[in-house]
Amino acid sequence: MNLVQEALRYLNDPYNWTRDGGILDLLVEHLQISASAVLAAMVLALPVGMLLGHTGRGGGFTVALSNVSRAVPTLALLTIFAVTPIGFGPTATTIALAVFAVPPILTNTYVGFRSVDRDIVEASRAMGMNARQVILRAELPLATPLMMTGVRTAAVQVVATATLAALVAGGGLGRIITLAFAQQNYGAVLAGAILVALLAVLTEAVLAALAWAVTPGPRRRWPLPRVRTASDSGQAVVARPR
């Protein structure tokens, strides 16, 4: 029996899914760790990126921080945490993954705000908007697509990297892989890798749909009816999408 058949047999066994510490329990732990890390990164990176992008300052700092953060392996952070009061466990994994998720969110938020047409910003100020209103009502809607791209990229990376939690007494789908390696059950190793890959693809799809939903303005795929005024008769004509 080859590895693919062994992996499929492992995945088709209901006991592997429903037992205590089975696939379903590990999946919930994996999602909890990943979601906590991404949310923590968003809380930190989004306001900083919005502020720096609005003011136009700190571009060099943003790029440098992004490059330095990406150069630090997550496993190295977990090793450092092991000799600190943080120690091993889900908390250490969540912090390390949050650090890993900050660069794409911060960079894309900054670039998204800087990509907003300056004429729109000046027009908003000319209408009497203060800085907060300009950020929330003018720049934020236009920067949302790039911001969501950063969140989506970070989330997929975190979901894939969260398998390292099993190396530091954490939970998640990585436990299937590490335990199978210890038992030399390479079919189960492949099954664990398949589960992580499918979860990453599903995360990408869900967040892509969410990004489409929260992006303001007309949708390219399902455009809404558009009303225009006929120049000759002055009557409203509805142009329906084809």
Side-chain angles (χ1 to χ4, degrees):
M1 184 179 296
N2 58 37
L3 288 180
V4 175
Q5 291 175 331
E6 292 180 3
L8 292 178
R9 186 179 65 176
Y10 180 91
L11 294 175
N12 286 328
D13 188 349
Y15 177 74
N16 291 330
W17 289 82
T18 57
R19 62 183 172 85
D20 291 338
I23 295 176
L24 292 179
D25 290 341
L26 296 177
L27 176 61
V28 171
E29 292 179 358
H30 199 102
L31 290 175
Q32 288 176 340
I33 293 172
S34 301
S36 299
V38 174
L39 289 175
M42 290 174 62
V43 169
L44 176 63
L46 287 179
V48 175
M50 292 169 62
L51 180 61
L52 295 179
H54 173 72
T55 60
R57 301 173 182 175
F61 164 78
T62 303
V63 174
L65 178 63
S66 177
N67 293 335
V68 170
S69 300
R70 290 177 180 179
V72 178
T74 304
L75 187 58
L77 286 177
L78 293 175
T79 304
I80 294 173
F81 291 158
V83 296
T84 67
I86 298 176
F88 282 156
T91 301
T93 305
T94 301
I95 295 175
L97 291 175
V99 173
F100 183 58
V102 164
I105 298 176
L106 177 61
T107 302
N108 279 55
T109 301
Y110 175 82
V111 173
F113 270 72
R114 294 311 300 164
S115 299
V116 176
D117 192 339
R118 293 300 97 186
D119 291 338
I120 295 177
V121 176
E122 294 302 325
S124 301
R125 290 171 177 164
M127 294 173 60
M129 292 186 182
N130 55 34
R132 179 174 175 274
Q133 291 173 325
V134 170
I135 292 175
L136 297 180
R137 298 175 61 181
E139 294 178 312
L140 180 59
L142 296 175
T144 295
L146 274 177
M147 291 174 58
M148 289 302 301
T149 299
V151 172
R152 191 168 74 245
T153 301
V156 173
Q157 291 178 349
V158 166
V159 166
T161 311
T163 53
L164 295 175
L167 300 176
V168 290
L173 295 173
R175 291 183 60 183
I176 298 175
I177 299 175
T178 55
L179 181 60
F181 262 122
Q183 298 174 344
Q184 296 185 351
N185 184 357
Y186 299 114
V189 172
L190 179 59
I194 291 173
L195 289 172
V196 174
L198 290 177
L199 184 58
V201 172
L202 181 61
T203 301
E204 169 73 19
V206 170
L207 290 180
L210 179 61
W212 180 89
V214 301
T215 299
R219 315 298 189 206
R220 291 184 177 180
R221 187 173 179 180
W222 298 298
L224 299 175
R226 180 171 51 88
V227 178
R228 60 184 177 84
T229 302
S231 58
D232 52 345
S233 62
Q235 295 179 347
V237 179
V238 177
R240 300 185 179 277
R242 298 180 180 178

